[in-house]
């Protein structure tokens, strides 16, 4: 049971990141390699508001997400918008540059030492045999609500249909009166906000260091590819599944009572993904493309 | 005609390539290698500032025989690849007289062969891996080897009756070498839990869940950085495990309290004394506008490394072999970190160990630990 709780905690973080990625890559088709850095921006800004300026936690989180949204927007206008329609690979270069700039800026502004948003003692409860803190329960619940509402909006409402329409054919959608450019901006900013949530999650549950950016992006890509890039629900689900496999891999004895060495934790999960993709190359939850 | 022009050009180019360190007014170049970016950057920042402080003081007092010291800084990023190219640049392009670095053991071990073949003296202020002992004739350190520290720990475990040690190790050169040395000194049969995780891992919940079913009486978070150690300790205490914890240099960091709060309270640390803390050195350090990122002691070790090197250059000149021999011959150098000398392997002699403990958010000294 504790293993499932552990997986839920790890999975929630992965789901936020993968959700951000699913929006920006899965929906918009833009590679954003600075997503991990945007997560750090959200986390560090929240830390700054809460610990340096002494604002209450809730206001700091909202403020952190708001500022992260603004910075994501600026990023979009400066390095994505001028390029992404010309060639889909151009943003790879521009966002790598941005990620390096962010890395340097974070190092400059927030120094090298690690930071923790919430350093006070956490309060524990035992739920069905698993020990978990209230803070973690709240984080898990909020994450679920947040990603589920994004997924619902995207797949089951008229706004979502419009978004998907602009992605399929931006000009055609515009001619039908859908403000494609604005929707693209909103999706991109939403992806930054989701990533920012991930950063805050790390800042509360673990601690923030200026180098986290890249590794968390990689795991998000794994979840996205395994889930099928056109299915937001699938991506989220796979983020949790990868987390669960990672915990099971090292938490349960496999071969005659011996454990898989902890160093292979993420390898096991990624191997599983490879196996899945061999069977279903377009991703576990990918729909067949509808051809008109 | 044309050929003679070409020949003279080639001749000019050749003379231009020669090391130009013969003039007496030229600055003396000293290299620095350390993790200035990345997760280990707090160590790099502290040792770099300690190095910088020493260099600035020497230059303010007129340099070495009138020659200024010029610091050439390279980022080793706490890994061998970057440190090796840094060492190559410093020796081949900058022609430095000596190198202060690396800081992470992985940096030092990778840079050592290059410094050794270039016959450039290298003094590490922070590397503690036992492997550095055999790294080369030109390689020194003013930070003691973990071979000693693990011996001190094994002795402490035996005295206090800790029989079952649980160990989680981050897979870096320093932490892995520490794990091996500890296993050897404590005895393999006393290590009841031994897992190695990828560098930078922050999710230890499942390992801790397994620890719940393991009988152990002391936990050793063997991490490379305080960020990772904080995650280990927090998640250990989260699941209600109350066993004693003990750790090494990495845990000797006030940042841990900031990160993990009560989770580190009571944790023991065996490390070198907090050299320079609260003394003249700390005052000078802060007056220069620096703030310790991990520990003032790291800055003190770097400060001493530069000064002992400057003393060697002052007496022996800029010839590497002469500097090396001078360093080996030092009887006792009075530094911030204590009175020390170097043994025949370039390892420091004379730095003691102390047992410290986290108490109400402070790291306090409990007692001195003798190694022999």
């Amino acid at each position: 049971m504790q293993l499932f709780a552990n997986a839920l905690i790890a999975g929630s973080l992965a789901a936020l990141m993968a959700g951000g990625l699913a929006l920006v890559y899965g929906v918009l088709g833009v590679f954003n390699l600075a997503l991990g850095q945007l997560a750090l921006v959200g986390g560090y800004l929240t830390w700054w508001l809460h610990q340096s300026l002494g604002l209450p936690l809730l206001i700091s989180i909202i403020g952190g997400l708001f500022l992260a949204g603004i910075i994501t927007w600026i990023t979009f206008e400066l390095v994505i918008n001028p390029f992404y329609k010309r060639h889909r690979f151009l943003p790879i270069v521009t966002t790598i540059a941005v990620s390096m700039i962010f890395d340097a800026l974070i190092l400059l502004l927030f120094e090298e030492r690690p930071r923790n948003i919430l350093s006070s003692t956490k309060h524990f409860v035992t739920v069905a045999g698993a020990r978990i803190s209230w803070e973690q329960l709240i984080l898990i619940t909020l994450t679920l609500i947040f990603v589920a509402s994004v997924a619902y909006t995207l797949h089951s409402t008229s706004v979502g249909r419009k978004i998907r329409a602009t992605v399929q054919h931006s000009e055609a959608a515009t001619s039908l009166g859908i403000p494609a450019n604005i929707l693209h901006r909103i999706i991109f900013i939403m992806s930054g906000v989701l990533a920012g949530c991930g950063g805050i999650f790390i800042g509360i549950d673990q601690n923030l260091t200026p180098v986290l950016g890249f590794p968390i992006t990689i795991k998000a890509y794994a979840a996205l590819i395994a889930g099928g890039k056109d299915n937001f629900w699938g991506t989220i689900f796979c983020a949790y599944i990868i987390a669960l496999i990672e915990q099971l891999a090292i938490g349960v004895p496999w071969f005659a009572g011996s454990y898989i060495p902890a160093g292979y934790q993420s390898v096991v999960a990624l191997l599983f993904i490879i196996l899945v993709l061999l069977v279903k190359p377009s991703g576990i939850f990918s729909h067949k493309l509808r051809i008109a | 005609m044309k050929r003679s022009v070409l020949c003279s050009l080639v001749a000019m180019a050749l003379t231009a390539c020669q090391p130009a360190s013969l003039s007496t007014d030229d600055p003396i170049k000293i290299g620095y290698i350390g993790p200035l970016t990345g997760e280990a950057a707090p160590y790099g920042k502290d040792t770099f500032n300690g190095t910088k402080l020493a260099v600035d003081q020497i230059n303010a007092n007129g340099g070495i025989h009138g020659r200024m010291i010029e610091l050439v800084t390279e980022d080793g990023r706490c890994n061998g690849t970057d440190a090796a190219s840094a060492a190559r640049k410093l020796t081949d392009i900058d022609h430095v007289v000596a190198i202060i670095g690396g800081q992470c053991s992985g940096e030092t071990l990778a840079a050592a062969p290059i410094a050794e073949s270039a016959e450039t003296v290298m003094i590490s202020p922070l590397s503690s891996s036992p492997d550095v002992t055999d790294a080369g004739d030109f390689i020194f350190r003013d930070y003691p080897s973990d071979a000693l520290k693990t011996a001190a720990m094994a002795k402490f475990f035996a005295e206090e009756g800790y029989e079952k040690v649980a160990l989680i190790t981050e897979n870096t050169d320093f932490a892995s070498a520490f794990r091996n040395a500890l296993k050897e000194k404590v005895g393999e049969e006393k290590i009841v839990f031994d897992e190695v995780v990828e560098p930078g891992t922050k999710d230890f919940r499942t390992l801790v869940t397994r620890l719940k079913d393991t009988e152990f009486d002391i936990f050793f978070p063997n991490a490379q950085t305080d960020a990772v150690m904080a995650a280990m300790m927090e998640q250990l205490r989260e699941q209600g495990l109350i066993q004693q914890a003990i750790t090494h240099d990495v845990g000797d960091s006030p940042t841990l309290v900031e990160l993990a709060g009560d989770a580190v309270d009571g944790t023991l640390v065996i490390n070198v004394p907090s050299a320079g803390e609260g003394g003249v050195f700390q005052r000078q350090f802060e007056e220069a506008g620096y703030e310790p990122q991990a520990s003032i002691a790291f800055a003190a070790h770097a400060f001493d490394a530069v000064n002992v090197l400057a003393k060697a250059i002052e007496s022996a000149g800029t010839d590497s072999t002469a500097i090396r021999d001078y360093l080996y011959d030092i009887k006792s150098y009075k530094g911030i970190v204590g009175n020390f000398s170097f043994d025949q392997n370039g390892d420091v002699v004379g730095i003691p160990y102390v047992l410290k403990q986290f108490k109400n958010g402070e790291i306090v000294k409990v007692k001195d630990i003798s190694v022999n």
Side-chain angles (χ1 to χ4, degrees), chain B residues 41-57:
Chain B
Y43 314 143
K45 196 84 180 172
D46 285 345
T47 51
F48 177 71
N49 288 341
T51 305
K52 188 92 175 47
L53 182 65
V55 168
D56 288 346
Q57 282 183 2

Side-chain angles (χ1 to χ4, degrees), chain B residues 92-301:
Chain B
D92 292 355
I93 298 173
D94 296 312
H95 298 291
V96 295
V97 171
I99 298 171
I100 301 294
Q103 317 305 328
C104 294
S105 297
E107 292 176 337
T108 307
L109 290 170
I114 295 161
E116 184 72 13
S117 67
E119 301 202 334
T120 303
V121 169
M122 195 167 97
I123 308 181
S124 167
L126 203 57
S127 296
S128 60
S129 164
D131 297 336
V132 177
T133 302
D134 305 321
D137 214 19
F138 284 85
I139 316 302
F140 296 80
R141 57 173 155 185
D142 71 343
Y143 201 82
S145 165
D146 286 336
L148 286 173
K149 194 177 296 153
T150 46
M153 271 180 189
K155 191 164 162 252
F156 175 74
F157 288 170
E159 280 169 10
E160 302 287 319
Y162 292 119
E163 291 285 323
K164 297 187 178 84
V165 185
L167 183 65
I168 299 183
T169 303
E170 197 179 350
N171 194 7
T172 63
D173 278 345
F174 157 73
S176 306
F178 199 93
R179 165 175 172 254
N180 294 336
L182 190 72
K183 277 167 84 171
E184 188 188 311
K185 299 282 168 28
V186 174
E188 200 120 355
E189 71 286 352
K190 288 186 181 162
I191 311 282
V192 292
F193 188 91
D194 180 25
E195 281 287 357
V196 182
V197 299
E198 276 306 289
T201 303
K202 294 238 177 95
D203 180 7
F204 297 100
R205 295 207 165 84
T206 294
L207 292 180
V208 171
T209 306
R210 269 172 54 197
L211 267 178
K212 270 179 160 175
D213 302 327
T214 312
E215 211 180 294
F216 68 101
D217 42 36
I218 194 156
F219 174 65
F220 197 117
N222 183 16
Q224 172 83 39
T225 64
D226 43 12
V228 171
M229 190 178 288
M232 284 185 189
M233 288 307 298
E234 265 190 304
Q235 292 166 21
L236 181 83
R237 299 302 185 218
E238 260 176 24
Q239 296 201 16
L241 293 168
I242 50 159
Q243 279 89 341
Q244 181 60 259
I246 187 166
T247 178
H248 45 49
D249 330 31
V250 174
D252 198 358
S253 152
T255 314
L256 265 184
V257 179
E258 228 173 87
L259 294 175
D262 295 345
V264 289
D265 208 45
T267 298
L268 299 169
V269 180
I270 290 184
N271 195 15
V272 296
S274 311
E277 198 174 76
V280 182
F281 176 68
Q282 178 149 22
R283 213 183 56 229
Q284 289 177 348
F285 191 72
E286 279 162 6
E287 272 168 10
Y290 306 130
E291 191 192 347
Q293 297 282 316
S295 165
I296 185 88
F298 296 162
H301 278 274

Side-chain angles (χ1 to χ4, degrees), chain A residues 143-165:
Chain A
T143 303
L144 274 175
I145 294 173
F146 199 36
V147 291
S149 53
V150 173
Y152 179 79
T153 314
L154 203 60
H155 284 290
S156 313
T157 64
S158 69
V159 179
R161 202 176 313 119
K162 281 178 191 159
I163 290 175
R164 282 178 292 141

Side-chain angles (χ1 to χ4, degrees), chain A residues 2-3 6 9-10 107 111-116 119 121-122 124 131 136 205-209 211-212 247 250-252 259-263 265-266, chain B residues 36-39 41-42 45 195-198 202-203 205-207 209-210 212 226-227 230-231 234 237-240 255 258-259 261-262 291-293:
Chain A
Q2 185 73 50
L3 288 181
N6 297 347
I9 300 169
L107 206 56
E111 299 183 317
E112 291 79 0
R113 73 178 99 155
R115 307 287 192 183
N116 195 336
S119 53
T121 323
K122 300 179 169 93
F124 286 94
R131 214 175 127 86
Q136 286 159 352
D205 189 50
Q206 302 165 357
N207 49 60
L208 293 161
T209 43
V211 288
L212 277 172
Q247 309 297 333
I250 59 164
V252 193
Y259 293 87
I260 294 177
Q265 186 173 28
S266 34
Chain B
L36 297 171
T37 56
E39 195 122 295
K45 196 84 180 172
E195 281 287 357
V196 182
V197 299
E198 276 306 289
K202 294 238 177 95
D203 180 7
R205 295 207 165 84
T206 294
L207 292 180
T209 306
R210 269 172 54 197
K212 270 179 160 175
D226 43 12
E234 265 190 304
R237 299 302 185 218
E238 260 176 24
Q239 296 201 16
T255 314
E258 228 173 87
L259 294 175
D262 295 345
E291 191 192 347
Q293 297 282 316

